[in-house]
Amino acid sequence: LVRSLRAVYGDAAFEIVPLTFKLPDEMDDWAAWVQRHPHLDNGLWMLKNNKQRGTGLRLVTTGDAFSACFETTTRPGMEGMVLYRWYLAQRYITRPLLIGGRKFGLRVWVLVPDVRPLRVYLHQNGLVLFSSHNYDESRTMEEDGSIAPGHVTNYAQNEDADVWSLARMKQHLGAGRFAHMWSKIQSSVALTFAAALPRAQEVQAQMDLPPRSCFQFFGLDFLVDDELRPWLLEVNATPSMKVQHSDPHLERLIHDQKWPVIRDMVQLLGICSERFNPTREEHRDAGFLQAELARRGGFTPIMHLFPEETPQGFRLIPWQKLDQQVRAWTKSKVYAEAVQ
């Protein structure tokens, strides 16, 4: 994620995600940044590995961070190899927006029907996932080194915590403040998937699959700070759509948010045997888009937010002729009505 964003946008990537360094490759860059920018270092860093369900995290102070980065681990079949435990260091957001004294994360869902041309749809549904404990900025770690309760909003670590819909959050924030935050989320989603296009095209070409036979469904996690700025923390290519909660009312809420997303995804994709026909041809123009929009349900297209140009000196986004046609079509009345 961070590598794709930086390859296209340079340091502007850190307007989408928190400042991040790859470990151990960028250890020297990280140390140099801390030395040059003491006024920007808030003193806390989140170390991450590839474990799921919120278990591969450690919150450390700047003073302890560099020694922690040299911790090693083992994996089955790789005994005897030096494997570092942490692969990312990310600046911790110390001033999150709190509701009722608790930190929360936003889970939103994104559908990419294809990358030839690239289309990206963000669903109007989503979940506000609260921590089980109040947020205490002064208490970040337990005695055993684990993250103190209240600092992680991952659902797997807070399965019985409160859950809101985005509609309830809009009611809490007010329509204007929510719209401000949501527009920033839409922009971040569009920039993120545009930056991923080069790699997506490479992988699809290597697989040599029939035209229009691929799609991908994602779950994106955002943290909102006290200035209503959403920070993208994770892009999950296998988002859980499980419906489970100890509170029957919240379990129903989760169901009512997730089920329409699945229904609308199947409808938008037009999943049928014809979609996987090996003789199916590539799209020749953007004429198919009007029918695709008509099937979108609760998905909102965000192709109008794709960047038109890439900053000089960084990898160009490989927009094709069809992508340019899609961009032109986003200025149509039909498209404008779809994004309202």
Side-chain angles (χ1 to χ4, degrees):
L1 168 62
V2 177
R3 181 165 48 187
S4 296
L5 290 171
R6 290 192 69 186
V8 174
Y9 308 122
D11 288 344
F14 299 126
E15 297 175 7
I16 301 171
V17 297
L19 181 65
T20 305
F21 295 93
K22 186 176 184 298
L23 303 176
D25 302 13
E26 296 179 342
M27 280 277 291
D28 291 343
D29 295 336
W30 182 18
W33 184 92
V34 170
Q35 187 174 17
R36 290 196 310 266
H37 305 93
H39 59 295
L40 297 178
D41 180 16
N42 59 30
L44 288 173
W45 294 83
M46 185 69 80
L47 303 182
K48 299 183 176 184
N49 59 32
N50 59 359
K51 291 185 178 179
Q52 298 181 347
R53 297 173 60 84
T55 59
L57 302 171
R58 181 182 294 181
L59 186 59
V60 295
T61 63
T62 303
D64 295 332
F66 292 96
S67 58
C69 289
F70 288 101
E71 295 176 3
T72 59
T73 186
T74 59
R75 294 178 186 170
M78 304 180 72
E79 292 80 3
M81 296 182 63
V82 177
L83 303 173
Y84 291 101
R85 183 180 300 274
W86 310 107
Y87 73 93
L88 285 180
Q90 193 168 76
R91 183 166 52 173
Y92 188 60
I93 305 300
T94 57
R95 298 181 64 86
L97 180 65
L98 303 179
I99 296 179
R102 298 194 176 188
K103 185 176 176 180
F104 63 89
L106 301 181
R107 164 54 65 94
V108 300
W109 295 289
V110 172
L111 176 64
V112 179
D114 200 355
V115 297
R116 295 179 180 176
L118 178 64
R119 286 103 67 206
V120 179
Y121 292 84
L122 173 64
H123 205 275
Q124 64 187 9
N125 286 8
L127 295 174
V128 184
L129 304 171
F130 287 88
S131 170
S132 302
H133 299 77
N134 283 356
Y135 180 77
D136 184 351
E137 185 179 356
S138 65
R139 182 189 174 201
T140 58
M141 288 172 282
E142 300 286 68
E143 292 184 1
D144 61 1
S146 61
I147 301 175
H151 286 267
V152 176
T153 60
N154 183 284
Y155 179 73
Q157 304 297 311
N158 301 276
E159 289 189 349
D160 294 327
D162 199 7
V163 181
W164 284 8
S165 65
L166 291 182
R168 184 173 177 185
M169 187 176 185
K170 180 178 181 179
Q171 185 179 35
H172 175 82
L173 292 177
R177 297 181 73 208
F178 181 86
H180 173 77
M181 178 198 72
W182 190 245
S183 68
K184 289 183 177 293
I185 288 176
Q186 289 180 314
S187 177
S188 293
V189 171
L191 292 171
T192 296
F193 284 94
L197 182 59
R199 180 58 180 159
Q201 289 182 343
E202 290 174 7
V203 171
Q204 194 172 62
Q206 292 170 0
M207 296 177 70
D208 192 26
L209 296 172
R212 295 189 280 161
S213 63
C214 295
F215 68 91
Q216 184 69 59
F217 177 64
F218 298 89
L220 275 65
D221 294 325
F222 286 89
L223 176 70
V224 182
D225 66 21
D226 60 0
E227 295 181 349
L228 281 183
R229 182 173 186 171
W231 295 94
L232 178 59
L233 299 184
E234 183 176 353
V235 176
N236 192 325
T238 56
S240 171
M241 300 305 284
K242 179 178 70 172
V243 176
Q244 183 176 348
H245 200 284
S246 59
D247 184 328
H249 297 289
L250 292 182
E251 185 172 76
R252 184 67 194 181
L253 181 149
I254 295 170
H255 170 274
D256 290 347
Q257 293 303 301
K258 291 186 174 183
W259 162 242
V261 178
I262 299 298
R263 178 201 62 205
D264 294 344
M265 176 181 68
V266 172
Q267 178 176 284
L268 187 151
L269 293 172
I271 293 180
C272 60
S273 59
E274 174 60 22
R275 182 175 176 88
F276 304 98
N277 185 343
T279 63
R280 203 177 193 198
E281 296 183 351
E282 296 273 9
H283 290 300
R284 297 184 181 277
D285 54 45
F288 71 94
L289 280 173
Q290 187 163 346
E292 186 172 275
L293 280 184
R295 300 193 304 266
R296 72 186 186 280
F299 279 105
T300 299
I302 55 174
M303 289 80 84
H304 60 292
L305 298 174
F306 287 162
E308 294 193 21
E309 298 180 357
T310 304
Q312 187 174 5
F314 297 98
R315 185 177 184 179
L316 295 177
I317 300 175
W319 298 122
Q320 305 294 322
K321 181 179 179 180
L322 266 179
D323 293 300
Q324 301 296 345
Q325 291 182 17
V326 170
R327 185 185 306 283
W329 196 75
T330 62
K331 297 177 174 61
S332 70
K333 182 180 178 181
V334 173
Y335 184 90
E337 292 173 348
V339 299
Q340 287 179 353

